[in-house]
């Protein structure tokens, strides 16, 4: 009995190992390093930074810095963060204060230690931060950084994001962290649907547009210099363009009919849904609206295009050509249309940065008499195999990948109204980012 | 031994969990879920609606009476949800077409009853009424089935009446707004609303109205007429809405 049980366990272990090998040989970066279950995470301790002098402003800025740094490292999804309750009473503020054996053995038992100090002097803040491999006593320093800026909580927040991203880059397989990225979204908190922006963690929520009408579907350009969205004008829905160089809406061609749901290719072209010729179809054009031409030609409606963010050679979109909306892919010249979903109500596709996955919103069973749970899914494009990311949590829509491919931001009705949430790309570590008013259609910056 | 077994079991479990989560990546085949079983055959609902009398003076009562079978969700436009069978007294001030929808597991059925309100006062107010008021009284919105943008056979009559009114008032310009119910994606519903508005426009053009008098716009689910989450309300929101343009 015992032997047969052991044999089964051994077989399952071997299968698991073979499986992990298969995964790592196909080298999906977010799987290998990030959300990959069964992959050992780096054990990291992040000691609270200490004051380097006795300025009265230090405690407030230290609290901001330590909270933001901890939150960034926790959000990264690649660390086994050692709980602060395991830390020794004497936490280091600089290299000479590190007691290697205390950190590298239980209770902290950590591999890596982040520590440092912060001090304010004549309105300026200086932050020194280190990352140590505490099990390598001969040559422990992985990272040493110094930052200086105005002594404000906004500046300290940015410094903490930068230091977190340095650590994540070093320990996360060379993939840039996302702590300095932005999320664009639609908020109705002023009474109108306007385009807003916030930090990736929900901090610093600010309006970009004050058009007073209905603005939807914000999409930031790959270089971060422009934001395309759609808005109701006197003559219907048109694509609008916001310039971050000029900090205002700039002119963009008006096409007539309904123009909706812009999407940027990695080299700066746009795909939109336009009904200028009758039914809503997918059009592509250059980033200034020139050289526009139609890719699909059916009663559709065709809407919500998303480019393959890695290659720019394919576009996924939603079409109601057979009835309920389904997800399709095609080459960026409109050929080789492939239906990806086989049933239900599938909308809002977003292409992963690695080019291999789509995430989208799907009511797999939908129609009269069906309860219709509206969940997010992840699909491997080559095989059309999918996994469900959200479960039993209200209506979820508009998923969008983070630039590191480890996170997904989305809108969810789970708290009673529509709000923006983020999660790791395996569906774990779900966090609410917005709370005021109704907030929808999040779009993550490319870097 | 027991501890070792347990930890082996746990790691085996963790790895298979990992395998489950990563299925999308390695292309391991999982049988697709079976197609949903066809729902059991349910009899199609029946519905009838009558108005007595069918011609009155303004302020005179009219008895609406209706009967349905096989329906779980019955509603009458301008009244709202009603019992499967029943009657109700109404006092229309203008000629009105009462429209009943009965929905059940076997589909949906509709019935209409027309009440003509005739009076000298009516004639007078008609001659004094502005064109915009006449438009509001006479031009009826068009309603759509769920996720559909074709004009229902039952709506052809009211659409022809709309066309007739527009033919008689040839200087009126209109905007047709396409609307959807609250379910589903913002973007897809805007596209669907575009097709609905276009379907209404195309029907009017076929009935002889010049396309240059008609603008269309979709509001998708952005401007609902009714904000309750039930089929009666959703039906109210799936419409082509006529707006008078000066």
């Amino acid at each position: 009995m015992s032997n047969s049980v052991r044999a089964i366990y051994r077989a399952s272990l071997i299968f698991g190992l073979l499986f992990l090998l298969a995964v790592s040989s196909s080298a999906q970066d977010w799987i290998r390093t990030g959300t990959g279950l069964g992959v050992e995470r780096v054990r990291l301790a992040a000691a609270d930074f200490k004051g380097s002098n006795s300025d009265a402003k230090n405690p407030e800025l230290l609290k901001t810095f330590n909270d933001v740094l901890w939150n960034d490292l926790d959000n990264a999804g690649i660390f086994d963060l050692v709980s602060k309750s395991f830390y020794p009473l004497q936490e280091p503020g600089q290299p000479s204060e590190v007691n290697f054996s205390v950190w590298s053995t239980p209770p902290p038992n950590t591999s890596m230690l982040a520590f440092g100090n912060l001090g304010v002097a004549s309105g300026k803040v200086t932050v020194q931060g280190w990352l140590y491999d505490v099990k390598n006593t001969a040559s422990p320093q992985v990272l040493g950084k110094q930052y200086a800026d105005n002594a404000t909580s906004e500046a300290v927040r940015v410094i903490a994001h930068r230091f977190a991203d340095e650590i994540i880059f070093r320990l996360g397989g060379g993939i840039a962290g996302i702590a300095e990225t932005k999320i664009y979204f639609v908020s109705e908190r002023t009474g109108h649907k306007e385009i807003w922006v916030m930090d990736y963690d929900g901090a610093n929520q600010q309006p970009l547009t004050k058009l007073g009408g209905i603005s939807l579907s914000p999409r930031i350009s790959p270089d971060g210099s422009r934001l395309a969205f759609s808005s109701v004008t006197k003559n219907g829905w048109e694509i609008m363009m916001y310039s971050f160089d000029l900090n205002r809406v700039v002119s963009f061609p008006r096409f007539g009919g309904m123009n909706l749901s812009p999407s940027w290719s990695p080299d700066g072209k746009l795909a939109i849904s336009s009904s200028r010729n009758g039914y809503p179809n997918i059009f592509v054009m250059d980033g200034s609206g020139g050289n526009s031409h139609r890719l699909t030609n059916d009663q559709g409606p065709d809407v919500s295009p998303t480019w393959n963010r890695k290659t720019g050679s394919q576009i996924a979109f939603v079409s109601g050509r057979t009835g309920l909306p389904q997800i399709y892919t095609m080459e960026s010249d409109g050929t080789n249309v492939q239906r990806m979903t086989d049933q239900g109500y599938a909308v809002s596709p977003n292409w992963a940065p690695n080019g291999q996955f789509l995430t989208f919103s799907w009511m797999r069973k939908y129609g009269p008499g069906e309860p219709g749970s509206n969940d997010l899914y992840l699909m491997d494009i080559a095989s059309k195999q999918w996994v469900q990311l959200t479960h039993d949590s209200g209506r979820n829509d508009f998923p969008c990948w983070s630039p590191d491919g480890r996170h997904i931001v989305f809108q969810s009705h789970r708290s009673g109204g529509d709000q923006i949430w983020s999660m790791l790309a395996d569906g774990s570590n779900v966090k609410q980012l917005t709370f005021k008013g109704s907030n929808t259609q999040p779009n993550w910056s490319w870097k | 031994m027991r501890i070792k077994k347990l930890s082996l079991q746990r790691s085996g479990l963790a790895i298979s969990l990992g395998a489950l989560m990563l299925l999308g990546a390695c292309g391991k085949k999982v049988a697709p879920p079976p197609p949903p079983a066809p729902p059991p055959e349910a009899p199609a609902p029946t519905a009838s609606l009558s108005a007595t009398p069918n011609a009155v003076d303004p302020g005179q009562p009219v008895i609406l009476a209706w009967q349905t079978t096989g329906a779980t969700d019955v509603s009458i436009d301008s009244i709202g949800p009603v019992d499967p069978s029943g009657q109700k007294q109404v006092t229309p001030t203008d000629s009105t077409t009462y429209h009943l929808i009965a929905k059940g597991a076997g589909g949906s059925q509709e019935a209409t009853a027309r009440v003509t309100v005739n009076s000298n006062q009516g004639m007078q107010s008609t001659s004094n009424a502005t064109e915009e008021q006449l438009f509001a009284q006479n031009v009826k919105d068009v309603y759509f089935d769920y996720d559909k943008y074709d004009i229902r056979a039952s709506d052809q009559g009211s659409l022809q009446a709309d066309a007739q009114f527009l033919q008689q008032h040839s200087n009126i310009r209109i905007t047709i707004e396409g609307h959807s119910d609250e379910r589903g994606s913002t973007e897809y519903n805007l596209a669907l609303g575009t097709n609905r508005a276009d379907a209404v426009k195309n029907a009017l053009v076929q009935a002889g109205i010049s396309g240059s008098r008609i603008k269309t716009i979709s509001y998708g689910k952005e401007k609902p007429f009714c904000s309750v989450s039930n089929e009666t309300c959703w039906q109210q929101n799936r419409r082509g809405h006529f707006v008078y343009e000066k």
Side-chain angles (χ1 to χ4, degrees):
Chain A
M1 174 59 199
S2 170
N3 275 347
S4 70
V5 168
R6 285 173 70 181
I8 289 167
Y9 291 151
R10 200 170 297 140
S12 77
L13 252 180
I14 289 166
F15 166 75
L17 282 172
L18 282 174
F19 176 77
L20 283 176
L21 279 173
V23 167
S24 49
S25 66
S26 66
Q28 294 315 315
D29 43 31
W30 71 266
I31 286 170
R32 192 180 66 234
T33 57
T35 57
L37 295 169
V39 177
E40 200 176 329
R41 296 177 172 205
V42 177
R43 202 161 157 83
L44 169 70
D48 279 342
F49 276 43
K50 293 164 85 169
S52 59
N53 57 30
S54 51
D55 192 276
K57 226 172 162 198
N58 283 354
E60 177 204 336
L61 295 185
L62 274 168
K63 173 156 188 1
T64 301
F65 182 90
N66 288 325
D67 286 352
V68 171
L69 179 63
W70 181 270
N71 193 38
D72 285 348
L73 297 174
D74 190 32
N75 280 340
I78 58 171
F79 300 119
D80 180 7
L81 263 186
V82 182
S83 165
K84 287 188 178 176
S85 61
F86 291 152
Y87 295 2
L89 290 175
Q90 301 294 320
E91 295 186 38
Q94 46 194 319
S96 60
E97 295 168 14
V98 177
N99 183 336
F100 289 89
S101 62
V102 167
W103 289 95
S104 63
T105 56
N109 193 26
T110 191
S111 306
M112 295 287 167
L113 171 67
F115 62 95
N117 59 69
L118 174 153
V120 176
S122 53
K124 298 281 178 188
V125 64
T126 303
V127 178
Q128 292 182 303
W130 289 270
L131 179 67
Y132 265 31
D133 178 349
V134 290
K135 294 193 172 165
N136 181 356
T137 50
S139 175
Q141 183 166 323
V142 180
L143 192 62
K145 284 277 167 186
Q146 178 163 320
Y147 306 86
D149 206 331
N150 295 327
T152 64
S153 112
E154 293 79 50
V156 161
R157 180 176 284 277
V158 171
I159 293 171
H161 283 328
R162 291 205 174 132
F163 186 58
D165 275 350
E166 292 280 359
I167 295 172
I168 292 161
F169 180 76
R170 290 296 190 296
L171 302 183
I175 297 166
I178 56 164
E180 292 175 79
T181 60
K182 304 278 185 191
I183 293 168
Y184 301 87
F185 61 104
V186 175
S187 182
E188 213 174 358
R189 70 186 75 172
T190 59
H192 296 285
K193 287 196 171 176
E194 305 280 5
I195 310 300
W196 285 58
V197 60
M198 62 184 170
D199 294 353
Y200 95 105
D201 57 1
N204 289 325
Q205 300 187 13
Q206 288 163 3
L208 280 182
T209 64
K210 284 169 186 153
L211 296 173
I214 308 174
S215 293
L216 296 174
S217 309
R219 307 284 195 275
I220 184 72
S221 66
D223 65 1
S225 70
R226 288 184 297 163
L227 180 112
F229 60 103
S230 45
S231 195
V232 180
T233 70
K234 214 171 111 235
N235 293 312
W237 290 92
E238 293 286 1
I239 301 298
M240 312 287 273
M241 192 64 73
Y242 185 93
S243 162
F244 289 94
D245 298 329
L246 300 170
N247 289 319
R248 62 175 173 83
V249 174
V250 295
S251 74
F252 194 80
R254 302 285 163 95
F255 299 113
M258 179 214 68
N259 300 279
L260 197 68
S261 65
S263 169
W264 294 93
S265 73
D267 60 352
K269 292 197 289 288
L270 278 171
I272 68 167
S273 169
S274 177
S275 70
R276 76 189 77 166
N277 293 5
Y279 295 104
N281 285 135
I282 306 298
F283 284 67
V284 295
M285 60 197 70
D286 61 40
S288 58
N291 297 314
S292 158
H293 61 282
R294 180 160 73 179
L295 292 190
T296 63
N297 187 5
D298 55 274
Q299 293 199 359
D302 300 332
V303 71
S304 306
T306 176
W307 293 78
N308 182 328
R309 271 172 67 167
K310 182 162 189 181
T311 66
S313 64
Q314 289 165 293
I315 294 172
F317 62 102
V318 173
S319 179
R321 59 187 66 185
T322 62
L324 288 171
Q326 304 294 328
I327 309 279
Y328 294 78
T329 59
M330 62 184 168
E331 303 304 308
S332 57
D333 62 1
T335 61
N336 190 25
V337 174
Q338 301 276 330
R339 181 166 163 177
M340 304 304 288
T341 50
D342 52 0
Q343 61 173 342
Y345 186 111
V347 290
S348 311
N350 185 261
W351 211 302
N354 69 6
Q356 314 236 338
F357 302 107
L358 287 174
T359 177
F360 55 95
S361 173
W362 200 7
M363 285 182 234
R364 271 195 296 132
K365 295 184 178 161
Y366 193 47
E370 295 285 1
S373 165
N374 198 165
D375 281 304
L376 302 183
Y377 288 77
L378 176 71
M379 179 180 275
D380 173 51
I381 293 161
S383 67
K384 299 187 186 176
Q385 296 294 321
W386 46 260
V387 289
Q388 185 173 346
L389 299 180
T390 62
H391 300 265
D392 304 323
S393 50
R395 300 196 297 271
N396 303 279
D397 201 356
F398 291 102
C400 179
W401 293 89
S402 63
D404 67 358
R406 290 175 180 141
H407 301 76
I408 292 172
V409 67
F410 59 103
Q411 86 181 43
S412 178
H413 203 261
R414 65 185 67 192
S415 62
D418 279 325
Q419 297 297 347
I420 313 283
W421 297 67
S422 72
M423 63 184 175
L424 290 176
D426 64 358
S428 67
N429 204 18
V430 179
K431 294 192 171 171
Q432 185 171 356
L433 302 183
T434 62
F435 297 87
K436 278 186 207 159
S438 167
N439 302 284
T440 53
Q441 296 193 294
N443 182 249
W444 213 314
S445 64
W446 292 58
K447 54 189 180 184
Chain B
M1 183 56 218
R2 178 157 175 77
I3 288 164
K4 193 172 174 193
K5 232 166 49 179
L6 267 176
S7 71
L8 270 172
Q9 188 173 20
R10 200 170 294 145
S11 62
L13 189 66
I15 286 163
S16 13
L17 266 176
L20 267 176
M21 293 305 300
L22 295 174
L23 275 180
C26 78
K28 181 177 167 353
K29 289 286 174 194
V30 191
E41 287 292 321
T46 64
S48 65
L49 176 66
S50 67
T52 318
N54 60 13
V56 293
D57 291 332
Q60 293 294 308
V62 175
I63 302 294
L64 290 178
W66 61 92
Q67 284 193 313
T68 65
T69 61
T72 53
D73 183 5
V74 181
S75 66
I76 299 176
D77 287 3
S78 78
I79 293 176
V82 295
D83 292 334
S85 296
Q87 55 180 27
K88 186 175 175 64
Q89 179 177 308
V90 292
T91 50
T93 53
D94 301 299
S95 297
T96 306
T97 301
Y98 291 93
H99 175 228
L100 175 144
I101 305 172
K103 287 183 189 297
S108 68
Q109 184 66 42
E110 297 172 49
T112 57
R114 173 96 182 153
V115 177
T116 309
V117 179
N118 43 29
S119 81
N120 296 333
Q121 290 168 319
M123 292 288 286
Q124 208 169 357
S125 76
T126 299
S127 60
N128 288 341
T130 66
E131 203 158 52
E132 188 168 0
Q133 285 165 343
L134 285 174
F135 178 88
Q137 286 162 14
N138 288 280
V139 177
K140 301 291 179 227
D141 288 353
V142 180
Y143 295 85
F144 292 89
D145 284 338
Y146 166 71
D147 196 54
K148 292 290 192 326
Y149 51 88
D150 47 331
I151 310 282
R152 302 190 290 217
S154 58
D155 278 23
Q156 296 289 355
S158 82
L159 195 51
Q160 291 312 313
D162 294 341
Q164 204 176 352
F165 177 87
L166 291 170
Q167 251 156 3
Q168 287 161 1
H169 300 81
S170 57
N171 55 335
I172 292 183
R173 305 171 77 84
I174 60 167
T175 295
I176 302 166
E177 297 178 353
H179 294 269
S180 70
D181 67 38
E182 63 170 353
R183 296 172 293 174
S185 131
T186 301
E187 290 179 355
Y188 186 74
N189 275 321
L190 280 166
L192 185 64
T194 300
N195 279 16
R196 284 178 178 163
D198 282 349
V200 177
K201 176 179 176 177
N202 291 342
L204 291 179
V205 168
Q206 276 181 10
I209 310 298
S210 163
S212 64
R213 295 169 62 192
I214 307 170
K215 286 205 303 185
T216 58
I217 187 168
S218 172
Y219 284 112
K221 58 177 181 176
E222 299 301 317
K223 292 188 171 184
F225 294 82
C226 172
S227 57
V228 183
S229 294
N230 63 34
E231 175 50 35
T232 307
C233 182
W234 290 333
Q235 175 62 82
Q236 285 295 307
N237 291 335
R238 294 193 302 266
R239 72 163 90 184
H241 176 57
F242 291 95
V243 178
Y244 177 89
E245 301 288 344
K246 283 163 201 82

